[in-house]
Amino acid sequence: MNPGTGATVRALAAQILDAVAHRGRSLKAELAAALPRLDDPRDRALAEAICFSALRQRIRYDEALKRWMQKPLGRRDGELRALLWVGFAQIDALQLPAHAALSATVEAARVLKRTHQAGMVNAILRRAQREGLPAAAPEQAWPEWLRVKVREDWPEHAEAIFVASAEAAPLWLRVNRARQPISAYLQRLQEALPELSAHTTPLAADAIRVDTPVAVAALPGFAAGDVSIQDGAAQLVADALAPAAGARVLDACAAPGGKAAHLLERDPGLRLLALDVDARRLQRVRDTLARVGAQARLQAADAGAPATWWDGQAFDAILLDAPCSATGIVRRQPDVLLHRRPEDIDALRALQARLLDAAWTLLRPGGVLLYATCSILKDENERQIDAFLARTPDARAERLDARFGHVSGTGRQRLPGEDGMDGFFYARLARTAAA
């Protein structure tokens, strides 16, 4: 008998989780490769939701396995562990009807050629249904070294950071103001999808927060570029940089292109160069800009090595959305907590400093550079900018207002979950005219 679609979805989710949790793969990359195998958008959404929920709650789920299994799972049992996580996530986090979740997950064991373990899967999931899953503090999902850093950097906010990072993020939309006012799109959205809970915010002029789950394909005008998906904190980058009309702008690490697109939606007259070191990722920038009807010059090059690509003409404004630890977006990338290592922070700090120093040489006197990350670690943010200012005599920090979060040195830091947004750091730097 052929397995049902439900079993196929659960088996695919288990394979994705196994690759991410036990073989060091990227969740985003695994989802991108695997989800197209499912024809129904609802099946793709379910597989994705299962994976996110399982990774967010993996500490609790592993504790249940430790208590309930007579023999601990071995190194070769990664796929089985992942399948049990799949079952737990449906019963616990997603609150799916228990009968359907159990039967489909047990059948998925057969799809994965683990028929001999189907009975055990059934027994453990039924116990989870009866007894519930063990409790665990959200901070336990963070490796100890990283937990310590968060507590040192944000002692008054650490608990809230851990809690927010374990929760699903709302959907944030960015309305293309070149196409319609935000009020008009909000009305259009509510007419098309009256069941949605959606509202604007005074913090971000082009943003709509959607608290009800919805498939991206169902958003009116998405394919035509009338609206995009972008977290509210990322949308604030355009406000923090605020280039003059028609300015020559460099987006130094542009992929996947959302921030460049936002800047161009606000001012199509910007002369924007979108740079990225990875030519393959630059294709995503090209696709993003094409969808919203924006035009820019794209170039595959290392922003930290201007001698290999720069034409000598200075920029009026530079956006350096620097590579970082991604500790501010754990709720969107829960695999960060699995893959990040202490030595990564030192390597990232060195890369950020190199990019900052190089980008500064490309900025005209009187120009502005916005340094941004989706990190919450002060080593990458506040202390990184302090060190840059100390070694760069013609740089001065310009203060940003409270929309951009907590004061953090000369910059501002948004923390995960505040106003429903991601964790994000912003520092606006001006080059003095005396340079």
Side-chain angles (χ1 to χ4, degrees), residues 135-167:
E139 69 181 67
Q140 292 180 348
W142 294 62
E144 184 177 2
W145 69 270
L146 190 50
R147 194 186 315 162
V148 168
K149 278 185 173 292
V150 172
R151 289 195 182 282
E152 288 176 347
D153 285 352
W154 301 103
E156 297 179 4
H157 303 280
E159 297 304 327
I161 289 170
F162 298 138
V163 170
S165 297
E167 296 174 347

Side-chain angles (χ1 to χ4, degrees), residues 303-306 318 320 349-363 369 371 384 387-389 391-392 429 431:
I318 295 176
L320 177 54
R349 286 178 63 201
L351 174 59
Q352 293 155 0
R354 180 172 73 86
L355 291 170
L356 263 170
D357 290 341
W360 197 250
T361 66
L362 313 178
L363 187 66
L369 182 150
Y371 175 83
Q384 181 71 267
F388 174 75
L389 291 171
R391 67 177 180 267
T392 312
L429 308 171
R431 189 168 187 180

Side-chain angles (χ1 to χ4, degrees), residues 21-85:
H22 305 126
R23 286 183 277 128
R25 303 288 181 81
S26 158
L27 175 61
K28 185 185 295 187
E30 289 298 308
L31 288 170
L35 292 184
R37 298 181 215 164
L38 301 173
D39 295 329
D40 192 325
R42 293 169 297 180
D43 290 336
R44 294 196 292 271
L46 176 58
E48 186 173 40
I50 289 172
C51 290
F52 273 89
S53 298
L55 287 173
R56 289 187 184 114
Q57 302 298 328
R58 61 189 171 79
I59 299 298
R60 296 174 57 225
Y61 297 170
D62 275 344
E63 180 59 29
L65 295 178
K66 190 186 302 181
R67 294 183 190 182
W68 296 343
M69 297 197 71
Q70 293 180 346
K71 182 181 177 182
L73 292 173
R75 299 175 70 178
R76 297 183 179 180
D77 294 320
E79 191 176 69
L80 174 61
R81 182 196 305 274
L83 181 61
L84 290 166
W85 286 358

Side-chain angles (χ1 to χ4, degrees), residues 170-377:
L171 178 68
W172 285 92
L173 308 181
R174 188 189 75 239
V175 176
N176 186 345
R177 64 168 62 182
R179 303 284 179 84
Q180 73 273 289
I182 191 170
S183 57
Y185 185 82
L186 180 60
Q187 181 178 350
R188 180 180 171 193
L189 178 67
Q190 292 172 332
E191 289 173 353
L193 300 165
E195 72 280 6
L196 284 191
S197 170
H199 56 86
T200 58
T201 170
L203 298 172
D206 301 317
I208 294 176
R209 175 175 168 171
V210 179
D211 294 317
T212 311
V214 60
V216 171
L219 296 170
F222 179 82
D226 296 345
V227 69
S228 300
I229 308 299
Q230 188 179 42
D231 187 82
Q235 293 189 44
L236 286 172
V237 163
D239 291 323
L241 182 62
R248 176 173 160 84
V249 179
L250 171 65
D251 185 350
C253 303
K259 298 177 184 69
H262 192 195
L263 290 167
L264 289 163
E265 288 168 4
R266 289 189 165 191
D267 181 4
L270 291 178
R271 294 164 292 150
L272 190 144
L273 171 60
L275 203 71
D276 203 272
V277 71
D278 188 335
R280 293 168 300 179
R281 283 169 53 83
L282 207 62
Q283 181 58 46
R284 294 186 61 192
V285 180
R286 185 172 289 107
D287 294 342
T288 296
L289 296 180
R291 186 179 62 81
V292 303
Q295 294 187 345
R297 187 160 67 90
L298 277 62
Q299 189 166 351
D302 179 1
T308 64
W309 60 270
W310 186 41
D311 63 4
Q313 185 178 352
F315 293 92
D316 302 307
I318 295 176
L319 169 59
L320 177 54
D321 183 16
C324 70
S325 63
T327 43
I329 56 171
V330 167
R331 61 185 190 163
R332 297 189 188 279
Q333 296 183 19
D335 54 324
V336 165
L337 299 180
L338 285 166
H339 303 329
R340 194 63 68 219
R341 298 290 181 267
E343 56 270 22
D344 295 343
I345 307 304
D346 290 337
L348 286 165
R349 286 178 63 201
L351 174 59
Q352 293 155 0
R354 180 172 73 86
L355 291 170
L356 263 170
D357 290 341
W360 197 250
T361 66
L362 313 178
L363 187 66
R364 69 165 176 81
V368 295
L369 182 150
L370 184 74
Y371 175 83
T373 76
C374 57
S375 170
I376 57 172
L377 301 182

